Amino acid sequence: MGRILPVRLGVNLDHVATVRQARKTTEPSPVQAALLAELGGADQITIHLREDRRHIQDDDLELMRRVTQLPINQEMGVTEEMLGIALRIHPNVACLVPEKRVEVTTEGGLDVVGNRERVARAMERLHAAGIAVSLFIDPDPAQVRIAAELGAEAIELHTGEYANSRDAEQATQLHRLEAAAVLGCDLGLEVHAGHGLTYQNVSRVASIPQIVELNIGHSIIARALYVGLRQAVAEMRTLLAEARNEARLNSLSDK
């Protein structure tokens, strides 16, 4: 294994918009939140423009693209509407995710194997516009391999099963993430991870050397209610750095 690089932090601001949409008003502003996240050490802003517009709105995405200096990672369903918006707004990364109207939050990874042609057509259009593509998938070897075959720049491993499990089962889910991350890296993919990660469970995932980016939202926004968004992001940034340093020391001791 080569040098262990720092892990990037993408801050998902969907739930800033959730609070605003509860009253259908103008505050809090996800755009202002993006500026605070940047001050706290975020490397990227992640937002999911959903079909039902339950939190982030079109105007948020458009204004964020103009205002923040950070890269924008647009999570999006594989639909004609969302492709059109991405091609117009031109985010730095389009992360293709599954989406169901009835779900509270994303329940699993995108089935790229079962939707190969549809995903391939969407990726072709995004790539033609110069937009990098990440595929949000379960840590399943078949899904990782097809992502590489289709030419994705990155995969984002769904960490929900890890986050929702405990003890021996959590160790099993962590092993799945590790194996998928190694495979993805070997196939030339950038490996990202996210979903359900918190201040309590993030360190073990951040210690996986092949994972170079974590996207975290709900836990950071919840923490921000107590300490402010800039501080909440900085605290998560510190946890990631500590986990990475430990991984680096462990790798040196194994040599």
Side-chain angles (χ1 to χ4, degrees), residues 9 59 68 73 95 131 150 173 205-206 208 213 242 246:
L9 174 60
D59 289 348
T68 182
N73 174 30
C95 183
I131 301 171
L150 293 180
Q173 295 301 330
V205 177
I208 299 173
E213 177 182 299
E242 290 174 349
E246 184 175 348

Side-chain angles (χ1 to χ4, degrees), residues 7-242:
V7 62
R8 301 190 298 268
L9 174 60
V11 177
N12 187 309
L13 297 175
D14 292 351
H15 294 303
V16 174
T18 297
V19 176
R20 179 193 61 197
Q21 295 307 112
R23 287 289 184 94
K24 299 290 192 294
T25 183
T26 59
E27 58 182 9
S29 163
V31 176
Q32 290 182 340
L35 301 177
L36 290 172
E38 183 174 0
L39 291 173
D43 299 295
Q44 172 178 274
I45 299 300
T46 296
I47 49 178
H48 185 174
L49 182 65
R50 280 182 170 267
E51 183 182 4
D52 63 9
R53 306 306 198 271
R54 68 178 64 173
H55 37 57
I56 294 295
Q57 305 297 301
D58 299 59
D59 289 348
D60 295 325
L61 181 58
E62 294 187 24
L63 188 55
M64 194 111 41
R65 194 71 181 93
R66 295 199 302 267
V67 171
T68 182
Q69 299 300 306
L70 294 178
I72 300 296
N73 174 30
Q74 180 186 342
E75 296 182 341
M76 51 182 277
V78 190
T79 68
E80 188 62 33
E81 179 193 25
M82 291 303 152
L83 281 169
I85 291 171
L87 293 172
R88 177 168 54 83
I89 300 299
H90 212 277
N92 301 85
V93 179
C95 183
L96 303 184
V97 304
E99 185 176 315
K100 292 183 280 189
R101 282 179 178 268
V102 296
E103 66 188 3
V104 175
T105 185
T106 306
E107 296 172 346
L110 181 66
D111 180 11
V112 186
V113 173
N115 295 278
R116 176 177 181 141
E117 295 306 318
R118 182 181 174 205
V119 172
R121 288 194 298 271
M123 289 177 61
E124 184 178 0
R125 293 172 65 185
L126 291 164
H127 281 155
I131 301 171
V133 176
S134 174
L135 300 178
F136 183 77
I137 59 174
D138 289 328
D140 178 284
Q143 300 290 348
V144 176
R145 290 190 184 98
I146 196 70
E149 287 178 22
L150 293 180
E153 282 77 12
I155 52 172
E156 180 170 341
L157 300 176
H158 177 246
T159 54
E161 290 188 57
Y162 162 80
N164 293 328
S165 58
R166 298 292 181 270
D167 304 324
E169 176 59 23
Q170 189 170 72
T172 297
Q173 295 301 330
L174 183 68
H175 179 70
R176 287 184 69 207
L177 291 168
E178 290 169 339
V182 169
L183 177 60
C185 188
D186 288 345
L187 293 174
L189 295 162
E190 260 206 6
V191 183
H192 310 161
H195 197 79
L197 296 176
T198 70
Y199 293 86
Q200 290 71 42
N201 66 23
V202 71
S203 294
R204 294 173 75 185
V205 177
S207 296
I208 299 173
Q210 294 81 7
I211 293 177
V212 298
E213 177 182 299
L214 294 177
N215 287 293
I216 305 172
H218 185 269
S219 188
I220 290 176
I221 302 308
R223 177 67 176 156
L225 294 176
Y226 303 108
V227 302
L229 184 56
R230 180 175 179 176
Q231 178 64 26
V233 172
E235 289 176 5
M236 184 63 77
R237 176 83 270 168
T238 297
L239 286 175
L240 301 191
E242 290 174 349

